[in-house]
Amino acid sequence: MKTYIVGNWKLNFTVGEASIYLHKLLKRLPNYRDVEVVVAPPSVALQPLSLQIDRHKMKLAAQNAFYRDYGAFTGETSFTQLHGLVDYCIIGHSERRYIFGEDDKMVAKKVAAAVRNKITPILCIGETESERTFGETADVIRDQLLSGLSEIGAEDVSKVLVAYEPVWAISSAKGAKLASPDEIAEVVKLVREILKEVYGGETAEKTAVLFGGSVNPSNAGAYLTVPGVNGLLVGGSGLILSQFADIIETAKRVRS
């Protein structure tokens, strides 16, 4: 299985800045066969960057899309419109859930729309600090995971990348803390146990699980060696060329 390094640029970079960053990153990176590098720029930059990107070196992801293919939905972009521009889409990120009010039903519809349009969903799941404090982590993870996959067939589950992003460990969160490898391992093991229980051992083994939460060059190696972790979803460090390149290089070393 490949190792995935996904850089989520969130609401940063103009189109021109995004183009310059991508140009520099492409020049710096060789073609890593075993490491899939993915960048998720703001939606306004997706089309121009799709013409600029070298897809042998990296792929593009959307940060969000709407689950209906077409219609009277002012301001939205559909997965159908993204088909051919991106290979991945981040779905269910905690900022979408808690700032924009997206619930599990909407997340499930987006996962299904992505699969329907041959775009790989990156399904984000994770508990808040209070949920962890009150011992609700396992219930939250089970609910978000199974709800997120509920609108697709069992044969498509392994096409989804599952990203465990504890809300309390995301760098943009107030009072964010670093997740320990043991804490991550516990949840990743749980994710695979749930997948095995519901969809079978083969699906559980084939489904890639990523970790995201204040990932930087100093902790990327430790996170990538957590049993069952197949990659990283990177936030702030993904905006700094040298740091993102270091994380990618770390993934290559760990993979080797």
Side-chain angles (χ1 to χ4, degrees), residues 41-192:
S43 58
V44 70
L46 285 173
Q47 196 278 333
L49 264 57
S50 72
L51 302 176
Q52 178 183 347
I53 200 166
D54 180 347
R55 294 183 185 269
H56 295 291
K57 290 186 176 183
M58 70 182 70
K59 302 289 174 43
L60 279 180
Q63 296 178 21
N64 180 46
F66 192 54
Y67 61 85
R68 294 287 291 271
D69 290 341
Y70 58 88
F73 303 103
T74 300
E76 296 294 335
T77 301
S78 72
F79 288 92
T80 302
Q81 292 168 322
L82 291 174
H83 179 75
L85 288 181
V86 304
D87 293 285
Y88 297 87
C89 184
I90 299 170
I91 299 174
H93 192 282
S94 62
E95 290 160 3
R96 298 298 313 176
R97 294 178 187 267
Y98 296 109
I99 298 175
F100 297 98
E102 294 187 5
D103 59 16
D104 289 337
K105 290 183 179 179
M106 179 172 286
V107 170
K109 289 178 180 179
K110 290 186 176 188
V111 169
V115 171
R116 182 171 69 245
N117 286 282
K118 297 180 171 54
I119 295 171
T120 299
I122 303 172
L123 171 61
C124 297
I125 59 176
E127 78 283 14
T128 64
E129 184 174 15
S130 64
E131 288 166 341
R132 172 167 280 271
T133 299
F134 287 105
E136 299 171 351
T137 295
D139 290 336
V140 172
I141 294 302
R142 173 177 284 274
D143 289 347
Q144 291 184 352
L145 177 62
L146 294 182
S147 295
L149 300 173
S150 63
E151 297 269 343
I152 61 174
E155 69 279 2
D156 289 324
V157 169
S158 61
K159 298 175 184 177
V160 178
L161 304 187
V162 177
Y164 171 51
E165 273 208 324
V167 180
W168 48 271
I170 297 174
S171 58
S172 60
K174 184 178 180 180
K177 305 172 184 177
L178 286 179
S180 72
D182 287 344
E183 289 171 326
I184 299 166
E186 180 182 6
V187 175
V188 171
K189 180 182 178 183
L190 173 64
V191 167
R192 295 200 184 278

Side-chain angles (χ1 to χ4, degrees), residues 23 46 221 230 248:
H23 175 73
L46 285 173
N230 306 112
I248 296 167

